[in-house]
Amino acid sequence: MTTTDPAPPESRVPLVPPPPRWAVCAAHVAAWSTVPSGLWRVALVLGVPVGVMEREEFLAAFPHSSPLVGLAYVLLIGAIAEAASYLTLGLVRPWGELVPRWVPILGGRPVDRRLAVLAASLGAFAVTVLWWVLFLGGLLTSPSPDPGVSAGEALFVAAYAPLLLWGPLLAAVTWSYHRRHKGCL
């Protein structure tokens, strides 16, 4: 007779209802909301004219550092934003319930739902405040309205405007995750 539990860890996770369709759609939009600005950053690093700021102008902001530091900074910011937005999908995917087995040390263990809700809530608040303050603050503090908008400015706004969706969508998906797991906490 064996004393080990024959049931795999997946079967010990409390059953939760599947995420609503709107939450899945919102999670995907939130995850994709950082892609346009990331592509804009890559274009800047590669020296592609992005209209608002050229590569040399950006690198001049790092006078005592190597140009590589400035370029690495831009790419790192983009990579962090992409990774953070991708985590939104965990709130509607199985890996938001159970840590995938390939993850060292934690693999196969249930996700602490309280910690997931807390982290996602703080993240939603932070990115909402950050991007809304940056966008609205930039609009409100501009010296004077410019009657014409250049193609570069339109490209910049098109690349960064989707970031305004990230925080509110993350908050909505977090609320859905919390509601689905309410009895499991």
Side-chain angles (χ1 to χ4, degrees), residues 159-177:
Y160 278 82
L163 292 172
L164 295 172
L165 300 173
W166 182 11
L169 290 175
L170 175 56
V173 174
T174 302
W175 177 78
S176 172
Y177 181 88

Side-chain angles (χ1 to χ4, degrees), residues 28 32 34 37 40 51 54 61 64-65 85 96 101 106 108 127 133 135 137 146-147 155 163-164 182-183:
H28 281 88
W32 281 96
T34 57
S37 61
W40 188 91
E54 300 305 325
H64 300 293
S65 300
S85 68
R101 291 204 173 280
L106 300 176
V127 297
V133 166
F135 265 80
D146 188 5
L155 176 64
L163 292 172
L164 295 172
K182 200 170 187 180

Side-chain angles (χ1 to χ4, degrees), residues 145-161:
D146 188 5
V149 177
S150 72
E153 290 168 333
L155 176 64
F156 178 79
V157 169
Y160 278 82

Side-chain angles (χ1 to χ4, degrees), residues 2-178:
T2 178
T3 59
T4 60
D5 185 5
E10 292 84 9
S11 66
R12 292 192 300 257
V13 175
L15 293 176
V16 294
R21 186 175 214 177
W22 69 263
V24 174
C25 290
H28 281 88
V29 173
W32 281 96
S33 68
T34 57
V35 172
S37 61
L39 293 174
W40 188 91
R41 288 184 190 102
V42 169
L44 175 70
V45 166
L46 294 176
V48 175
V50 291
V52 176
M53 175 188 304
E54 300 305 325
R55 180 178 168 172
E56 292 73 26
E57 181 184 350
F58 172 76
L59 292 176
F62 294 88
H64 300 293
S65 300
S66 159
L68 290 178
V69 171
L71 299 175
Y73 166 78
V74 171
L75 294 176
L76 182 63
I77 292 295
I80 289 171
E82 295 289 333
S85 68
Y86 181 73
L87 289 175
T88 306
L89 295 175
L91 299 172
V92 296
R93 292 281 188 256
W95 52 273
E97 320 278 334
L98 190 70
V99 179
R101 291 204 173 280
W102 58 265
V103 175
I105 301 170
L106 300 176
R109 294 184 183 182
V111 171
D112 183 342
R113 278 124 182 138
R114 291 172 295 205
L115 184 59
V117 168
L118 177 64
S121 297
L122 291 174
F125 177 76
V127 297
T128 299
V129 169
L130 173 71
W131 290 114
W132 282 87
V133 166
L134 286 176
F135 265 80
L136 295 178
L139 291 175
L140 296 175
T141 60
S142 62
S144 65
D146 188 5
V149 177
S150 72
E153 290 168 333
L155 176 64
F156 178 79
V157 169
Y160 278 82
L163 292 172
L164 295 172
L165 300 173
W166 182 11
L169 290 175
L170 175 56
V173 174
T174 302
W175 177 78
S176 172
Y177 181 88
H178 169 70

